[in-house]
Amino acid sequence: MSSSLPQEETLESALQSPPQGAFARTFSALRYRDFRLLWFGAFTSTTGTWMQTVAQSWVVLSMTNSAFLLGVDGFLATGPMLLFSLIGGALADRLERRRIMLLSQYMQMSFAFVLGFLIWTHTVKVWHIFLLSFLTGSAQSVSGPAYISLLPLLVKREDVPNAVAMNSMQFNLARVIGPILAGIALTAFGAAICFGLNGLSFIAVIIALMLIRSPQVRGASD
């Protein structure tokens, strides 16, 4: 009977005390500096992108009063993912992913600022929005595969599943917060500010990519 007492005490102690490190395991990928930088940068940028998405839909519908043209704009924004994502994956396998992403962020930032300026000056036309939607979607289709393939390089192998889950979490958080901020900004300042804030949000990703120290990401030339 005395030999079973230590086992009973161990079991009772385990039942009474909560598991140690549960919180740390849930967010284990955030232990890595480079992943934290990219996560917060991506969250900021994705929030800005959702702000622009909401504002852009409102602008197109206000200008055209056409549900069909609103759908066309949505297709032009997302269609390039079907057309060019395979090309983006091939580029991510052959070129340095960090530079692919940097180029894409600069392009998307420029498109957001251009569209914001056109709306602010009241010179925007529907074809401007359609063209820039297609160009932005094309830039995203090239950088998307590079971003996904970048995540395993920033954490240890055992934390890759958590990094993928954390990436999904930041996207869903941004999908909730972005439209809320867009509604506030639209009401208070107008649509142009949403495009401007989206343009500024890309700076967070650019800074994060520049600060990443992992030699697997930066490449030997850096």
Side-chain angles (χ1 to χ4, degrees):
M1 183 173 181
S2 60
S3 60
S4 62
L5 184 59
Q7 296 178 0
E8 293 175 358
E9 291 178 348
T10 302
L11 178 60
E12 182 179 358
S13 176
L15 291 174
Q16 291 178 350
S17 61
Q20 298 298 316
F23 182 85
R25 288 195 300 271
T26 302
F27 302 97
S28 62
L30 291 179
R31 291 181 297 135
Y32 303 90
R33 170 190 176 273
D34 289 343
F35 181 83
R36 284 198 308 272
L37 287 171
L38 190 60
W39 192 92
F40 285 108
F43 171 70
T44 303
S45 178
T46 307
T47 301
T49 298
W50 278 105
M51 290 184 67
Q52 175 167 321
T53 299
V54 172
Q56 187 165 313
S57 298
W58 183 85
V59 170
V60 171
L61 193 59
S62 299
M63 292 178 62
T64 66
N65 196 30
S66 170
F68 172 75
L69 292 179
L70 181 61
V72 170
D73 182 58
F75 172 76
L76 291 173
T78 58
M81 291 298 295
L82 296 175
L83 297 175
F84 306 131
S85 58
L86 290 177
I87 298 175
L91 291 175
D93 287 338
R94 290 166 173 78
L95 302 176
E96 187 186 339
R97 295 155 191 169
R98 186 175 66 99
R99 291 182 178 175
I100 293 174
M101 288 189 62
L102 279 172
L103 177 61
S104 175
Q105 304 314 305
Y106 284 126
M107 292 173 64
Q108 293 179 65
M109 180 173 63
S110 301
F111 298 151
F113 281 140
V114 168
L115 199 47
F117 176 78
L118 291 173
I119 294 172
W120 181 60
T121 57
H122 303 286
T123 56
V124 67
K125 306 295 183 184
V126 176
W127 71 266
H128 294 151
I129 300 176
F130 286 173
L131 176 61
L132 290 170
S133 289
F134 181 78
L135 292 176
T136 300
S138 300
Q140 290 173 345
S141 69
V142 172
S143 66
Y147 174 77
I148 294 300
S149 61
L150 199 64
L151 297 179
L153 303 180
L154 303 179
V155 300
K156 292 182 179 179
R157 184 174 182 178
E158 60 268 23
D159 291 314
V160 170
N162 185 258
V164 174
M166 290 295 297
N167 179 63
S168 297
M169 186 181 76
Q170 68 86 8
F171 179 83
N172 289 311
L173 279 175
R175 186 164 59 178
V176 172
I177 296 173
I180 294 174
L181 295 179
I184 296 172
L186 270 170
T187 303
F189 305 106
I193 192 66
C194 294
F195 292 86
L197 290 174
N198 181 39
L200 291 175
S201 72
F202 287 105
I203 296 176
V205 184
I206 292 171
I207 292 176
L209 289 169
M210 288 182 172
L211 291 177
I212 286 176
R213 293 196 296 240
S214 172
Q216 298 181 86
V217 174
R218 297 189 65 89
S221 60
D222 295 340

